[in-house]
Amino acid sequence: MRALVLHAHPLEDSFSVGVRDVVCAALDSEGVDYTLVKLAQGEEADLLTEPFEHLIAVSPTWWGGSPAVLLDWLQRTLGPYVDGSEPKHSSPLTSIQRVTVVTTHGSSQLVNSLQGEPGKQTWKRVVMPCCGADAKFEWVSLYKIDRTTEAERSAFLDRVRDHFTNDRVSV
């Protein structure tokens, strides 16, 4: 299995970087071949000339949605397949069998739910139809990050590690 890990955060000393590093370490421990793209650092991410089976996005959820740099990548990659000028079945994501979004929220799960979970819905309604027909979607999130303790953040990192290990990385 090949995985594409997209990381979107402008600061190298953020908690998001720690989450990204845990994801990559877990993939390494499972022997998964992956490519890491740091979108916030201006790395070009037009890498979809080769097939990937797992798309992993690591970023915070800001104002209900993904960071602009990640949305820009999605728009450039999927725009023609979403607006109808190209058929979805010819999308560069058709080899994707699993999409995992690992994110943090400043607000609670209840508040996100009441707001309609716009970030999550973007992935489910826009990205998933451009993936393989039986692709699985996973949302791994830490809510109320601004009010979490170090122990709660550490427990989240453990949950992320566990999510990508123990045979969870296979489709």
Side-chain angles (χ1 to χ4, degrees):
M1 168 186 280
R2 289 197 26 86
L4 176 61
V5 180
L6 300 175
H7 180 245
H9 197 286
L11 302 175
E12 269 302 309
D13 63 347
S14 69
F15 182 72
S16 182
V17 169
V19 174
R20 176 201 71 202
D21 291 348
V22 166
V23 168
C24 292
L27 295 174
D28 283 335
S29 75
E30 295 293 315
V32 174
D33 181 20
Y34 68 91
T35 299
L36 171 63
V37 177
K38 300 173 187 176
L39 294 172
Q41 294 182 349
E43 216 173 286
E44 190 54 43
D46 296 326
L47 301 171
L48 296 176
T49 55
E50 54 185 296
F52 292 96
E53 292 80 33
H54 192 178
L55 174 61
I56 303 165
V58 180
S59 69
T61 295
W62 289 330
W63 298 91
S66 298
V69 69
L70 180 54
L71 293 174
D72 175 65
W73 183 86
L74 289 171
Q75 182 177 1
R76 286 185 293 114
T77 303
L78 299 177
Y81 310 96
V82 173
D83 71 14
S85 60
E86 296 289 337
K88 281 188 175 43
H89 71 270
S90 64
S91 151
L93 299 185
T94 56
S95 63
I96 300 291
Q97 295 302 308
R98 181 178 175 196
V99 174
T100 307
V101 178
V102 184
T103 190
T104 57
H105 301 265
S107 55
S108 69
Q109 189 169 7
L110 174 62
V111 167
N112 278 268
S113 180
L114 292 173
Q115 292 172 337
E117 300 180 310
K120 187 177 190 177
Q121 295 309 319
T122 297
W123 286 92
K124 290 173 79 173
R125 294 180 182 167
V126 177
V127 177
M128 292 305 294
C130 295
C131 295
D134 296 322
K136 308 289 186 259
F137 178 73
E138 303 165 324
W139 187 262
V140 181
S141 59
L142 174 63
Y143 294 92
K144 301 189 294 185
I145 189 169
D146 300 335
R147 291 167 273 164
T148 58
T149 65
E150 187 173 334
E152 290 168 324
R153 290 187 298 277
S154 180
F156 176 70
L157 294 176
D158 289 342
R159 184 164 59 102
V160 169
R161 182 179 301 104
D162 291 347
H163 189 85
F164 290 97
T165 57
N166 304 318
D167 296 323
R168 294 284 316 248
V169 292
S170 60
V171 177

